Amino acid sequence: MRRFWISTILGLELLLGGTLAASARTVGVPDFNIRAICAPEHRAGSTAVDRASYRGCLSDEAAARRTLIKRWATFDVAERRTCATESQIGGAPSYVAMLTCVQLGSDALPINPSGQP
């Protein structure tokens, strides 16, 4: 049955001249400004701890974005849409928040990671 759908989609793709693949490529991970996400840490001060916090924020957001890019197609379309919207609530959007949301929505994260009741 799966081969049937793949063949059907590929046939439509050829018939429409590549428009399905083009539209699928444009619907991807949202483009957030990581520096804006981490701006509160950057403005916090100029101590070594503040600078480390800012660098950590940039690193965490970039890593979450890379993970989202790699796994985007594996997440449910409705979850991706919902999480993209939710990740923008309350200020600058966050890749970390979005990744956590789609992982929880797809049961990719354990609900109780410690194993305790």
Side-chain angles (χ1 to χ4, degrees):
M1 184 67 161
R2 182 177 173 164
R3 286 186 181 164
F4 169 78
W5 286 110
I6 291 171
S7 297
T8 303
I9 290 171
L10 290 175
L12 284 171
E13 175 69 9
L14 290 172
L15 182 66
L16 296 173
T19 57
L20 293 176
S23 65
R25 280 191 297 270
T26 60
V27 179
V29 177
D31 190 24
F32 299 153
N33 181 343
I34 293 176
R35 293 194 187 279
I37 296 166
C38 298
E41 282 83 2
H42 185 63
R43 288 190 298 262
S46 59
T47 67
V49 172
D50 294 331
R51 288 190 301 273
S53 177
Y54 179 64
R55 285 192 307 272
C57 178
L58 292 174
S59 176
D60 291 347
E61 290 293 334
R65 184 175 192 278
R66 285 190 303 273
T67 302
L68 282 166
I69 289 169
K70 284 182 202 172
R71 300 197 46 220
W72 190 249
T74 66
F75 298 120
D76 179 69
V77 175
E79 286 294 327
R80 294 186 313 214
R81 190 176 309 118
T82 299
C83 292
T85 302
E86 287 181 5
S87 67
Q88 298 179 51
I89 295 172
S94 169
Y95 288 116
V96 171
M98 187 167 170
L99 177 60
T100 302
C101 179
V102 292
Q103 286 176 327
L104 286 171
S106 65
D107 294 329
L109 285 178
I111 300 300
N112 190 0
S114 68
Q116 300 293 324

